Structures are given as structure tokens and as C-alpha cells.
């Protein structure tokens, strides 16, 4: 009977699961991360729980780096963050072929059937993370805190963290992922840390507009050249799903195409 | 006048400056300071005309003493004038930056008093931002033609990028449209910066200043005077080669002033031409094309219906079809429809496997145009021929068919030839004569949006 592996949705948890698959010769059909709480298990599959084990995760990381290199490990991580259903099986298929070692060129061949879907997923995830660097909008909250709310399609908060840590190291700020209900907290004295916030009303209430919000909205309107208006291009560059958290798009109604 | 009013006036006055990039500079945040610079550049939002906004783009003042025909801020225009104090600009920049609205500051100014006095005010703002407020974000500073070298040098120490606009692509038109300006005064700061960059760029020692890390750019108006695309590309290729500019911007002329020296106020901005020029510019900067390959004296203007790369490919059938398995990277880049990313993907994966049509599709290579210019193992050897005259019509976008209006009041009639109606004998009753005006109007050429 094939197995359905449940793990704690983290990358380390997934790596621990892969480690167990190898060490116990498991026959795996699918993975169920803990975030899919409502998922109904397959009737013909047996559930198998794997707890995260830092040591086995780091051993597997080392193995991937030795076989394929740093950038492949990063690519797998980025693809994993897409949270796409079934991405775990794709990564597992890649790792199986990588560790089998039949093809010495396999590790870096982007066009292979195992690598290409992961490459594309990682590309989308990194694309969203890159775009989001500019699209996080902070509001000033009482207590000299800057608060921001994002709703990215992929789980990119940890990918954008270093950027904001370097840029605003002397400020206190929070970025809250409303879809995944967790936040990144940085205060000017210490390091950033990740906090889970199931109820974030206190945080979202702190997002207020002030005079600079108004100035920014004014600026946004007056910088556009009317003769060159192009709603289609705007939507391509700035997808509508980001608008709800962008200060400058709040006062503008959706232009009809 | 409060800050809000000033911001409205002075940002609207700056909107015709195209440059809004924040790339090319790497700086980590200064100790106890605010902000860094990211070499890739970051767009923070897009305005409703689809242009990226990454910098707070404002003029320090719009009370200009010059009277250039094409400029919205010229002396003879009756518009509200405003001037920021340095503190207002600094506050706006820092507060916007902390809220992650912007990547930095783009500061320009109309010429108020002498060029030196104007430049001094600009440099003062930037210097204060960098030294007093320890601002590490991106700063684009306009340099004023005619400013002294001492001020220019100081500007180079604090700004990431500087620009002087060449405005019009030939000196004759410039002196005609802007009598107070000439090419020499524009080239002087450009050359000064180019020389200093070479001087400081050779070996970076501990005390060598990080002089203008993101280089220089310039901008020219397209469609306000009669220059050909070949002249424009020649000029910009010269800038890239000699002054080592990072970017040359083209700005399709938006009629802002009624002036007999310029196109009428009702003229639409030449967006498609601007788009083609940018495509040609990209070919020069990323696709290793030379300006005289894209156009030459025989073909002085870009084909508006076809992108410049496809135009080049059709004029040079001897290079095609290209074998993706063995061709150089440079040659794969020259295939219409294949960009830098696809070319790199092909080159990196062809070492491990054969590139088949199916592989290309899976990689996401856009084959719409590329398929006519490449061959791969799935095409039989006998068909590997390239006929430009057959491919050209396939590349041209089919014109949009027009949906006819059901409730149109004018009767639907076939296009008539007025000559035949005239030759009809007069015995025919006049009611039967088909009105010459009615008929199906031709679809308008589809205008592409400029990026």
C-alpha cells in the first residue's frame, strides 16, 4: 500500500520526509502539508507522519549541494515556496533521479522533464518576490512602527526579508502576510523574526493614512501623462490582485478596458 | 503655498522626463542610516500611462528663464510657478522612502538665475541628504548645462546617476526650437562626467570616491522635428560609445505648447515610433547589434509594422535558418522572437540534450516569429530553406477585422466607385445612385503601446 506523507509544511519538514523515504525505503504516492487542513485523505493510501528533524534535513541539504550545487538547492527551495499542490512529488522525482546518478549531466540540465517544471515554478516565485520588493507599502503606526500588509500568491515573505532588513535596519517594521497569517517583525535593536498571527486585527487597525499618504496619492496622479494613458499596459505591469494593498491605487477606480 | 500644492505643480512639471530607473548602483545602507541601492533597480508602482515609478521625480523649481518651444515650463507659458525649499524636498524623500513608496529621488530644476546658482541649489539638497540624513537610497540628479566643473564634481560624488538632456536629435533643430541652448553646452557636462568616471574607475583604492556609480543618461524628443530614425540611432550609438552613457531615452512628442515651430496641438504622440526606437535601442544594448546594421542610408526609418530585429533578419537571409544546436549565442540572439533569457536557456541546455521543437515549447520559447528562422532536428533537411519574401507577410500582424454595427443608421453598402456612378446615363433615376461616402471604412492600423 502506498503512503501519503504528512509533514509540517516547512522546507526542513519536507527534507526530513525525503530523508525518511530513503532510509526506510518508503513507497510514496503523495504529500500532505499541514496547511491543507481540510484535505481529505485518499481512501487507498495510508497516512504516514514525519516530524521535522534538523539533522536529517541538513544532511539532505549537504547531499544536494554535493551532487548538484548551491544554486540547485536554492532553486528547489524557491519551487517549494510556490505551495503548488504536488510540487513535493516533483522535487522528489528530481532528487531520485539526481541521487541515482545514471546521467552525469542531469544535475544542471534545465530542459530535463524533472527539472523544467521546477525551474519554471522557481522562476515565478522569484519573479513575485522581486516584484513585491517595490510593492510593500508601509504605514506609520503609533510607537514609531511601520506596518505593512501583503497578500502574495506564493509564500515569499522569507525571500524578501533580507532586502528589507538591509534597507530599513534602523527602523521598526512589520510585514504581515494576510493569506498565510504570519508576520515578519523587525525592531531596530535586534534581528528580524517570524511570528504567527492568527488574529491580526490589532495590526491591520494600525494601518492608517497620514498626510504623506495623501501626498503620495497626489503625486501618483500628477505624474501620469494623460495623452499616453494605457490601462492595458498598467494591468500587465501592475496586476490587479496587488491593488488592494497599494496606497496609490485606493482612490482610483478600476478603469474599464 | 503648502507642500501639497507645490508637489502637484512640480511633479506635473517633471513628468515629461522619461528616465525613472533606479538600476546600476550597489550600496549597502550607511551605518545608522536609511536605505540602500539595489543594482537591478526596483519598480515601486506604475502610473496610469503604464510607466514605471521608482523615484520621486520632481523639479526644485519651475520658474524657468529659458523659452524652449517644446517645454511645458518655458518662460512665456502662463502656468503656476512654485519652488521647493531644500527641507521640503528632503522631508518628502525620507518619508516616502520609509513607507517604501519610492526607491530614491530624481531631482531636476528649471534654470533659475544662472546655471551655476541652479546647480548649486540642486547639489545642496543632495549633499544634505547624503551627509546629514545618511540617506543611502538612489539619487538621480539633473545637471544643468553651463554649470561649473566644481559643482559637477560635487554632484558626481553624491548622486548615483546624472543626466543632461540633448532634447532634440540635431543641433540645427535645437537652436531653432531652443535659441538659448546649443549642443556644446550639453556635451560639456557629459564629457566631464565621462572623463571623471574613467579617471576614478580604473583602480578603486580605499580613498577613491564612488563617482556616479550608475553612470549617465540622456533624453531626446522624437517627432517634434524632422530627424530620421537613422540619425537618432547614430546619435545614440555615439553616446553609448563615446560618452559611455548607460541609457538614451526617447520621448514621443506630446504637444504641450501651441507654437508654429512645432506639430499642431492635436497631434497624437508618436507612440509606435517611440516603441520601435526603443526596440532598436535594446538591440544595440543587449543584442550586440550595431546601429548601422539596424538601419542604413538606404533604409533611414524603422518599419512601423515590423520590429527592427525581424526587419534585419529579412534583409539578411544569408544567416538563416539558424541551427540552434550549433549556432553561436550571438547568432541565436539575432533570431526574431528569441530573447536573452531564451537564448541563454537554449545554450545552457543544448550541451546535455538535443533541442527539439517540443523542448523549445516546454522551455517557453516564443515560437510565433522564431519558427520561421530556425531549424531543428524535426525539420527535414530538404525544407531548410529561407525565403524572406514568403515570410514577411506571415510576420505582419493581420489587421483587426472590424465588427459591423447592427444598428448603424447609414445603410450597409459595398464600397462604390464614384467614377462608374458618374458615367451612368442620366436616364437612371437619381435615387438609385449609390452615395459615394457610404461604405465599409478601413480598419485603422493598430497602435502598439510603448513600454
Amino acid at each position: 500500500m502506498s503512503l501519503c506523507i504528512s509533514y509540517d509544511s516547512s522546507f526542513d519538514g519536507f527534507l526530513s520526509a525525503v530523508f525518511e523515504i530513503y532510509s526506510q525505503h518508503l513507497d510514496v504516492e503523495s504529500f500532505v502539508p499541514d496547511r491543507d487542513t481540510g484535505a481529505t485523505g485518499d481512501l487507498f493510501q495510508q497516512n504516514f507522519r514525519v516530524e521535522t528533524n534538523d539533522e536529517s534535513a541538513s544532511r539532505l541539504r549537504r547531499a544536494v549541494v554535493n551532487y548538484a550545487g548551491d544554486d540547485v538547492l536554492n532553486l528547489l527551495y524557491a519551487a517549494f515556496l510556490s505551495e503548488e499542490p504536488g510540487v513535493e512529488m516533483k522535487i522528489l522525482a528530481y532528487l531520485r533521479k539526481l541521487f541515482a546518478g545514471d546521467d552525469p549531466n542531469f544535475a544542471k540540465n534545465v530542459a530535463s522533464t524533472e527539472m523544467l517544471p521546477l525551474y519554471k515554478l522557481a522562476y515565478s516565485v522569484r519573479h513575485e518576490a522581486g516584484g513585491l520588493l517595490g510593492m510593500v507599502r508601509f504605514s506609520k503606526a503609533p510607537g514609531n512602527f511601520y506596518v505593512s500588509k501583503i497578500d502574495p500568491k506564493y509564500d515569499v515573505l522569507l525571500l524578501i526579508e533580507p532586502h528589507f532588513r538591509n534597507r530599513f535596519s534602523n527602523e521598526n517594521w512589520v510585514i504581515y502576510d494576510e493569506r498565510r497569517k504570519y508576520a515578519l517583525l523587525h525592531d531596530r535593536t535586534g534581528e528580524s523574526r517570524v511570528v504567527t498571527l492568527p488574529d491580526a486585527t490589532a495590526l491591520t487597525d494600525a494601518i492608517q493614512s497620514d498626510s504623506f499618504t495623501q501626498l503620495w496619492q497626489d503625486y501618483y496622479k500628477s505624474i501620469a501623462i494623460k495623452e499616453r494613458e494605457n490601462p492595458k499596459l498598467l494591468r500587465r505591469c501592475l496586476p490587479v490582485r496587488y491593488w488592494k494593498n497599494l496606497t496609490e491605487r485606493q482612490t482610483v477606480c478600476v478603469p474599464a478596458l | 503655498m503648502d507642500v501639497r500644492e507645490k508637489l502637484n505643480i512640480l511633479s506635473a512639471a517633471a513628468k515629461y522626463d522619461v528616465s525613472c530607473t533606479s538600476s546600476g548602483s550597489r550600496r549597502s545602507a550607511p551605518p545608522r542610516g536609511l536605505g540602500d541601492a539595489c543594482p537591478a533597480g526596483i519598480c515601486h508602482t506604475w502610473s496610469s500611462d503604464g510607466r514605471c515609478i521608482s523615484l520621486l521625480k520632481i523639479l526644485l523649481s519651475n520658474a524657468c528663464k529659458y523659452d524652449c518651444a517644446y517645454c511645458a515650463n518655458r518662460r512665456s507659458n502662463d502656468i503656476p510657478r512654485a519652488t521647493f525649499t531644500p527641507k521640503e524636498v528632503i522631508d518628502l524623500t525620507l518619508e516616502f522612502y520609509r513607507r517604501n513608496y519610492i526607491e530614491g529621488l530624481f531631482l531636476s530644476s528649471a534654470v533659475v538665475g544662472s546655471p551655476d546658482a541652479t546647480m548649486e541649489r540642486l547639489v545642496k539638497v543632495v549633499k544634505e541628504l547624503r551627509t546629514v540624513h545618511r540617506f543611502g537610497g538612489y539619487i538621480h540628479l539633473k545637471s544643468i548645462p553651463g554649470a561649473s566643473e566644481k559643482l559637477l564634481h560635487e554632484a558626481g560624488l553624491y548622486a548615483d546617476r546624472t543626466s543632461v538632456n540633448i532634447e532634440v536629435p540635431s543641433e540645427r533643430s535645437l537652436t531653432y526650437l531652443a535659441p538659448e541652448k546649443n549642443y556644446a553646452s550639453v556635451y560639456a557636462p557629459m564629457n566631464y562626467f565621462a572623463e571623471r568616471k574613467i579617471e576614478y574607475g580604473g583602480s578603486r583604492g580605499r580613498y577613491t570616491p564612488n563617482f556616479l556609480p550608475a553612470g549617465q543618461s540622456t533624453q531626446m524628443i522624437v517627432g517634434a522635428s524632422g530627424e530620421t530614425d537613422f540619425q537618432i540611432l547614430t546619435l545614440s550609438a555615439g553616446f553609448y560609445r563615446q560618452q559611455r552613457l548607460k541609457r538614451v531615452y526617447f520621448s514621443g512628442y506630446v504637444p504641450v505648447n501651441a507654437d508654429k515651430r512645432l506639430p499642431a496641438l492635436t497631434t497624437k504622440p508618436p507612440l509606435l515610433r517611440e516603441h520601435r526606437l526603443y526596440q532598436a535601442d535594446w538591440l544595440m544594448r543587449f543584442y550586440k547589434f550595431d546601429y548601422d546594421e539596424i538601419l542604413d542610408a538606404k533604409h533611414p526609418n524603422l518599419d512601423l509594422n515590423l520590429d527592427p530585429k525581424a526587419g534585419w533578419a529579412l534583409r539578411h537571409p544569408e544567416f538563416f535558418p539558424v541551427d540552434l544546436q550549433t549556432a553561436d549565442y550571438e547568432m541565436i540572439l539575432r533570431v526574431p522572437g528569441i530573447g536573452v533569457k531564451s537564448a541563454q536557456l537554449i545554450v545552457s541546455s543544448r550541451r546535455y540534450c538535443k533541442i527539439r521543437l517540443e523542448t523549445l515549447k516546454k522551455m517557453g520559447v516564443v515560437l510565433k516569429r522564431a519558427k520561421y528562422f530556425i531549424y531543428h532536428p524535426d525539420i527535414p533537411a530538404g525544407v531548410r530553406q529561407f525565403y524572406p519574401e514568403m515570410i514577411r507577410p506571415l510576420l505582419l500582424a493581420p489587421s483587426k477585422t472590424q465588427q459591423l454595427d447592427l444598428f448603424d443608421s447609414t445603410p450597409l453598402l459595398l464600397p462604390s466607385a464614384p467614377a462608374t456612378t458618374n458615367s451612368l446615363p442620366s436616364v437612371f433615376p437619381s435615387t438609385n445612385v449609390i452615395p459615394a461616402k457610404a461604405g465599409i471604412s478601413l480598419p485603422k492600423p493598430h497602435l502598439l503601446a510603448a513600454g
Side-chain angles (χ1 to χ4, degrees):
Chain A
M1 199 173 192
S2 57
L3 294 177
C4 167
I5 292 192
S6 70
Y7 67 104
D8 67 354
S9 330
S10 70
F11 190 55
D12 275 357
F14 168 68
L15 290 181
S16 314
V18 175
F19 190 87
E20 288 310 310
I21 290 168
Y22 267 88
S23 63
Q24 300 185 31
H25 300 282
L26 303 177
D27 173 22
V28 184
E29 192 79 5
S30 64
F31 285 83
V32 177
D34 283 353
R35 63 170 176 273
D36 295 350
T37 42
T40 48
D42 194 316
L43 187 62
F44 302 103
Q45 282 175 12
Q46 195 185 345
N47 200 22
F48 185 86
R49 176 76 193 176
V50 177
E51 293 303 332
T52 304
N53 180 340
D54 288 342
E55 201 199 319
S56 47
S58 72
R59 265 180 76 180
L60 198 63
R61 275 174 205 269
R62 217 160 48 231
V64 176
V65 172
N66 286 343
Y67 272 78
D70 271 350
D71 40 350
V72 170
L73 181 64
N74 291 336
L75 186 136
L76 296 182
Y77 178 52
F80 178 81
L81 289 181
S82 71
E83 300 185 342
E84 201 97 327
V87 66
E88 296 96 340
M89 286 310 287
K90 287 179 188 157
I91 299 179
L92 182 63
Y94 174 79
L95 290 178
R96 277 195 194 284
K97 193 140 182 196
L98 178 71
F99 293 142
D102 300 332
D103 180 2
N105 292 328
F106 177 72
K108 304 243 168 185
N109 180 8
V110 183
S112 68
T113 37
E114 286 80 14
M115 179 66 132
L116 197 60
L118 295 175
Y119 177 84
K120 282 181 159 176
L121 270 180
Y123 180 83
S124 314
V125 171
R126 287 168 177 168
H127 182 78
E128 171 150 54
L132 215 58
L133 295 183
M135 287 193 273
V136 171
R137 291 281 174 275
F138 289 107
S139 309
K140 200 166 183 180
N144 217 7
F145 240 89
Y146 289 87
V147 185
S148 164
K149 189 168 67 140
I150 56 172
D151 183 20
K153 191 170 158 194
Y154 305 123
D155 185 13
V156 293
L157 193 50
L158 287 178
L159 291 183
I160 62 175
E161 187 262 345
H163 172 82
F164 288 101
R165 179 160 31 86
N166 294 334
R167 174 162 291 200
F168 300 119
S169 56
N170 268 324
E171 311 287 330
N172 306 313
W173 46 266
V174 185
I175 304 175
Y176 173 61
D177 184 335
E178 45 181 342
R179 191 175 296 197
R180 293 164 193 86
K181 310 270 182 239
Y182 75 103
L184 194 66
L185 214 114
H186 178 93
D187 79 82
R188 55 188 304 174
T189 49
E191 278 292 285
S192 343
R193 60 200 149 100
V194 172
V195 203
T196 29
L197 286 173
D199 179 36
T201 40
L203 194 71
T204 44
D205 284 348
I207 298 180
Q208 294 158 354
S209 60
D210 56 5
S211 63
F212 286 99
T213 323
Q214 182 65 54
L215 286 172
W216 171 243
Q217 286 168 347
D218 282 3
Y219 172 75
Y220 180 76
K221 258 181 259 167
S222 71
I223 202 72
I225 299 178
K226 226 172 134 201
E227 291 85 348
R228 304 178 61 119
E229 212 138 271
N230 194 339
K232 237 172 154 177
L233 181 61
L234 171 68
R235 277 163 189 238
R236 202 172 65 207
C237 298
L238 190 66
V240 180
R241 67 189 162 96
Y242 293 115
W243 290 9
K244 63 177 175 180
N245 287 325
L246 291 179
T247 323
E248 65 274 13
R249 298 296 312 170
Q250 296 308 311
T251 51
V252 200
C253 58
V254 181
L257 274 183
Chain B
M1 196 182 276
D2 66 345
V3 183
R4 191 174 169 193
E5 231 170 304
K6 284 187 189 177
L7 181 67
N8 278 333
I9 295 172
L10 291 169
S11 59
K15 69 183 170 191
Y16 296 105
D17 248 309
V18 180
S19 167
C20 199
T21 50
S22 52
S23 57
S25 187
R26 184 194 295 278
R27 184 187 310 107
S28 46
R32 284 170 288 114
L34 170 76
D36 58 2
C38 164
I42 297 172
C43 287
H44 282 245
T45 187
W46 282 263
S47 60
S48 59
D49 48 19
R51 299 189 305 164
C52 144
I53 300 176
S54 69
L55 305 173
L56 170 64
K57 189 161 36 175
I58 44 174
L59 298 190
L60 198 57
S61 166
N62 67 342
C64 195
K65 71 165 192 174
Y66 290 159
D67 203 25
C68 310
Y70 48 78
C71 180
N73 303 314
R74 62 178 181 175
R75 189 179 59 218
S76 54
N77 276 10
D78 181 21
I79 50 164
R81 307 280 174 176
T83 303
F84 272 128
T85 62
K87 186 172 179 306
E88 285 166 342
V89 175
I90 289 168
D91 280 352
L92 273 176
T93 311
L94 293 176
E95 289 303 320
F96 277 9
Y97 196 88
R98 286 205 183 94
R99 287 162 174 77
N100 203 33
Y101 294 162
I102 52 167
E103 195 60 18
L105 174 67
F106 177 111
L107 191 61
S108 176
S109 178
V111 181
V112 187
S114 67
D116 259 353
T118 314
M119 193 71 207
E120 204 177 337
R121 272 191 290 272
L122 290 176
V123 171
K124 195 183 157 211
V125 174
V126 177
K127 186 176 178 181
E128 203 175 320
L129 265 176
R130 285 273 194 250
T131 52
V132 180
H133 301 276
R134 299 170 193 272
F135 179 65
Y138 192 91
I139 295 179
H140 183 140
L141 192 68
K142 269 256 132 63
S143 35
I144 307 294
S148 71
E149 293 196 343
K150 186 171 163 282
L151 286 169
L152 293 180
H153 186 262
E154 216 170 348
L157 294 180
Y158 300 117
D160 286 287
R161 173 173 284 189
T162 166
S163 58
V164 202
N165 287 354
I166 193 86
E167 308 293 8
V168 187
S170 75
E171 180 154 30
R172 231 180 97 232
S173 313
L174 182 70
T175 43
Y176 176 58
L177 294 172
E180 289 118 326
K181 287 188 179 168
N182 57 40
Y183 264 27
S185 68
V186 174
Y187 273 100
M190 243 185 223
N191 288 335
Y192 176 78
F193 286 127
E195 283 161 19
R196 287 296 82 69
K197 259 197 86 79
I198 293 170
E199 183 184 331
Y200 291 132
S203 60
R204 291 274 328 262
R206 198 170 152 199
Y207 299 106
T208 323
N210 192 8
F211 194 84
L212 277 190
Q216 299 189 68
S217 67
T218 191
Q219 171 180 335
M220 55 182 99
I221 298 170
V222 173
S225 47
E227 284 78 19
T228 62
D229 293 345
F230 184 54
Q231 274 173 291
I232 292 172
L233 287 188
T234 314
L235 186 65
S236 37
F239 281 138
Y240 288 133
R241 210 163 290 165
Q242 284 162 23
Q243 278 78 20
R244 304 283 173 86
L245 292 201
K246 286 278 158 66
R247 278 297 295 272
V248 175
Y249 292 97
F250 309 110
S251 129
Y253 177 68
V254 179
V256 283
N257 300 326
D259 194 301
K260 62 177 191 304
R261 291 168 285 178
L262 286 171
L265 273 181
T266 47
T267 324
K268 287 257 165 63
L271 296 182
L272 183 55
R273 183 176 175 208
E274 185 194 283
H275 176 62
R276 294 287 179 229
L277 277 169
Y278 274 123
Q279 286 182 317
D281 182 63
W282 246 253
L283 291 186
M284 292 198 287
R285 296 193 302 130
F286 298 114
Y287 292 79
K288 308 185 183 185
F289 274 80
D290 223 338
Y291 72 99
D292 49 1
E293 285 179 298
I294 304 167
L295 289 173
D296 49 46
K298 256 192 258 166
H299 307 88
N301 282 312
L302 293 167
D303 189 346
L304 291 187
N305 297 319
L306 212 57
D307 69 282
K309 205 189 200 185
W312 176 84
L314 292 178
R315 284 202 304 276
H316 294 275
E318 66 274 18
F319 293 115
F320 295 98
V322 165
D323 185 356
L324 293 182
Q325 210 64 49
T326 56
D328 291 344
Y329 170 69
E330 283 76 15
M331 199 56 227
I332 295 179
L333 267 185
R334 294 198 164 208
V335 174
I338 292 187
V340 176
K341 209 165 278 164
S342 301
Q344 280 171 351
L345 204 53
I346 290 169
V347 172
S348 72
S349 52
R350 72 180 177 188
R351 303 167 61 196
Y352 308 118
C353 64
K354 253 204 170 101
I355 304 290
R356 297 183 172 277
L357 197 58
E358 183 190 320
T359 337
L360 290 175
K361 276 183 189 155
K362 265 200 256 160
M363 282 178 186
V365 176
V366 185
L367 290 169
K368 195 177 144 203
R369 273 165 298 158
K371 64 184 172 199
Y372 305 115
F373 298 92
I374 53 175
Y375 70 72
H376 39 80
D378 300 332
I379 296 185
V383 207
R384 287 172 193 173
Q385 291 280 341
F386 183 79
Y387 303 104
E389 60 280 9
M390 280 167 71
I391 287 165
R392 196 186 150 82
L394 296 173
L395 290 177
L396 292 175
S399 57
K400 265 191 187 162
T401 46
Q402 204 179 19
Q403 174 72 53
L404 295 172
D405 193 357
L406 263 181
F407 308 104
D408 199 356
S409 53
T410 51
L412 180 63
L413 292 167
L414 289 172
S416 64
T420 50
T421 51
N422 288 345
S423 63
L424 282 174
S426 54
V427 286
F428 279 88
S430 60
T431 45
N432 269 7
V433 175
I434 302 162
K437 203 188 130 217
I440 303 159
S441 59
L442 286 171
K444 290 201 180 83
H446 175 58
L447 283 189
L448 262 176

